[in-house]
Amino acid sequence: QSVLTQPPSVSGAPGQRVTISCTGSTSNIGAGFDVHWYQQVPGTAPKLLIHGNNNRPSGVPDRFSGSKSGTSASLAITGLLPEDEGDYYCQSYDTSLSALYVFGTGTRVTVL
Amino acid sequence: QVQLHESGPRLVKPSETLSLTCTISGGSISSYYWTWIRQTPGKGLEWIGYVYSLGGTNYNPSLNSRVTISVDASKNQFSLNLKSVTAADTAVYYCARAIDYGEYYFDTWGLGTLVTVSS
């Protein structure tokens, strides 16, 4: 059972903007810990997309952006492209009795 | 560019020990934290634990009693041992590099290897 909750799926037409929420609690995001985001194309390993709430590694397009507020975070994808289809996971640090490094439940992005 | 590659048995019998090795190429094992993460359809991504290049470790409390992660700097490798496995340990196992800035994120991942626990 993940302590970070994401919607199971979001979808949008090419060129549209979609957002993915990541809801945590006062033991993780709400305690001030950063949120990181990963993209996983089916059948491949996760790939780092955003680190430290809104920092893109080299090579990640600026169509991807992150934000954090209170006990939640969001990933926005603008100008949606077919290659953006896949699963997206948030990750943070948790101070409860669960795993120290926790992932979200994952969101499947579908490009219509 | 750093690349990671998992290796080890793909089939493990219940109650036995799952052993995997991650080989690092294109970079040094030194001065980084190295992590094992697994993925199952039911539980999603689960952090297993990490080892620092000099040997310090930290494990997921839910697996702590069964997990050992070790490093062999001379071979640029680190390893996972998970004992007393059950079917619930069937998963794709990834090794990854953790970037430490006071917190951690995982910037480089191996391709992953599916390990099945079955008799």
Side-chain angles (χ1 to χ4, degrees), chain A:
Chain A
Q1 297 285 352
S2 176
V3 298
L4 302 179
T5 302
Q6 300 177 231
S9 63
V10 299
S11 61
Q16 284 190 330
R17 179 180 187 269
V18 297
T19 61
I20 301 169
S21 61
C22 173
T23 302
S25 68
T26 54
S27 67
N28 41 69
I29 300 173
F33 295 110
D34 287 343
V35 178
H36 319 288
W37 291 90
Y38 303 85
Q39 176 194 54
Q40 185 176 32
V41 175
T44 69
K47 168 193 165 186
L48 179 66
L49 201 62
I50 296 284
H51 64 89
N53 302 317
N54 192 22
N55 296 291
R56 285 175 287 104
S58 174
V60 174
D62 59 7
R63 302 185 296 102
F64 295 91
S65 63
S67 63
K68 191 186 86 164
S69 178
T71 58
S72 295
S74 291
L75 174 71
I77 310 173
T78 58
L80 200 61
L81 296 174
E83 57 259 40
D84 297 333
E85 277 205 343
D87 298 319
Y88 292 77
Y89 297 90
C90 57
Q91 177 246 314
S92 187
Y93 181 86
D94 189 271
T95 60
S96 72
L97 293 177
S98 69
L100 295 178
Y101 301 98
V102 292
F103 291 90
T105 50
T107 299
R108 171 63 60 92
V109 170
T110 301
V111 181
L112 302 171

Side-chain angles (χ1 to χ4, degrees), chain B residues 2-15:
Chain B
V2 174
Q3 293 185 319
L4 308 180
H5 179 69
E6 303 91 349
S7 60
R10 306 295 178 92
L11 181 64
V12 182
K13 290 182 168 57
S15 80

Side-chain angles (χ1 to χ4, degrees), chain A residues 33-34 36 38 40 44-46 48 51 89 91 98-101 103, chain B residues 37 39 45 47 50 58 60-61 94 101 103-107 109-110:
Chain A
F33 295 110
D34 287 343
H36 319 288
Y38 303 85
Q40 185 176 32
T44 69
L48 179 66
H51 64 89
Y89 297 90
Q91 177 246 314
S98 69
L100 295 178
Y101 301 98
F103 291 90
Chain B
I37 295 163
Q39 185 172 30
L45 289 164
W47 173 74
Y50 67 63
N58 202 347
N60 185 326
Y94 294 99
Y101 66 107
E103 298 175 41
Y104 297 87
Y105 60 88
F106 312 109
D107 76 327
W109 296 61

Side-chain angles (χ1 to χ4, degrees), chain B residues 41-58:
Chain B
K43 293 187 70 175
L45 289 164
E46 181 179 30
W47 173 74
I48 298 171
Y50 67 63
V51 62
Y52 184 57
S53 55
L54 295 178
T57 57
N58 202 347

